[in-house]
């Protein structure tokens, strides 16, 4: 029994896990309660690519403006994320949560995000067919979403939700917009539920046209905001 549990936890920790979508930040492509597979091997040998969907530690885990006085231990987060234990009231810990977003820019990219949430990378306007809900703007061209004009530093990516009008992503993190590569848990590469929408995840890099490799996202039944 203990050996079986240890093997299962080892697989989940280092190789593969299932996650479900708890929010609408990746609509319309990823629906609430979709079940995804997240693999944890690819990024050991290569960097994330534009268009890939990644699951990562909550900004409360790495954002200096959001971190509490102490960071929970890996073991503590592992226990909190177990299905039965994590459902106990009062045990939730924001720093142990996982988020799911799409990589839109990689190190060295000059990226501009306008008030609608539309992208320009290295001076090229980017068409994102997976984004259908952009931020509303008024007659003056302003709205509730924040803009960006920056260069992605080494060792980080810019990750945004597909639902640009309703996603708490790098545009809004108080400590800065970038997701450190070391905080990425894995790549969301396959939706296995519901059955009528199963299939691979990830889109081509909009600048190169190369297909994004299959990847990973958030643990089932723990959510990825």
């Amino acid at each position: 029994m203990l050996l079986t549990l240890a093997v299962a936890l080892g697989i989940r920790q280092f190789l593969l896990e299932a996650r479900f979508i708890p929010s609408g930040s990746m609509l319309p492509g990823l629906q609430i309660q979709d079940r995804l597979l997240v693999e944890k091997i690819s990024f050991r040998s290569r960097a994330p690519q534009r268009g890939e969907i990644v699951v990562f530690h909550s900004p409360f885990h790495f954002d200096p403006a959001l971190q509490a006085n102490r960071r929970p231990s890996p073991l503590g987060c592992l226990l909190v994320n177990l299905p039965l234990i994590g459902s106990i009231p009062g045990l939730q810990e924001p720093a142990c949560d996982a988020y799911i977003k799409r990589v839109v820019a990689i190190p060295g990219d000059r990226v501009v995000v306008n008030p609608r949430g539309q992208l320009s990378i290295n001076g090229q306007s980017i068409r994102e067919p997976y984004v259908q809900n952009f931020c509303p703007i008024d007659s003056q061209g302003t709205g509730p979403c924040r803009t960006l004009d920056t260069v992605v530093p080494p060792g980080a990516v810019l990750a945004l939700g597909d639902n640009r009008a309703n996603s708490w992503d790098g545009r809004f993190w108080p400590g800065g917009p970038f997701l450190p590569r070391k905080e990425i848990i894995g790549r969301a590469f396959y939706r296995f539920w519901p059955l009528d929408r199963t299939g691979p995840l990830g889109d081509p890099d909009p600048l190169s046209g190369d297909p994004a490799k299959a990847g990973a996202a958030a643990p089932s039944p723990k959510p990825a905001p």
Side-chain angles (χ1 to χ4, degrees), residues 17-38 53-56 98-102 161-163 166-167 187-194 197 201 215-225:
E17 66 177 86
R19 295 258 176 182
F20 79 90
I21 303 297
S23 75
S25 70
M26 291 293 287
L27 289 171
L30 297 181
Q31 302 285 321
I32 297 173
Q33 296 300 319
D34 278 1
R35 262 62 176 179
L36 314 176
L37 290 177
V38 177
I53 297 172
V54 296
V55 172
F56 54 95
Y99 282 48
I100 180 168
K101 309 292 179 191
R102 188 183 299 272
D162 290 353
N163 186 358
N166 187 21
S167 174
R187 185 175 56 114
F189 71 99
Y190 194 84
R191 174 171 34 213
F192 66 90
W193 188 265
R197 290 193 289 112
L201 302 174
S220 187
K222 284 299 287 183

Side-chain angles (χ1 to χ4, degrees), residues 162-181:
D162 290 353
N163 186 358
R164 295 291 154 78
N166 187 21
S167 174
W168 193 59
D169 51 37
R171 295 169 295 170
F172 300 97
W173 299 339
F178 304 115
L179 168 63
R181 181 177 170 182

Side-chain angles (χ1 to χ4, degrees), residues 42-43 45-49 52 107 181:
S42 293
F43 296 152
S45 59
R46 67 169 180 83
Q49 301 172 0
E52 292 186 310
R181 181 177 170 182

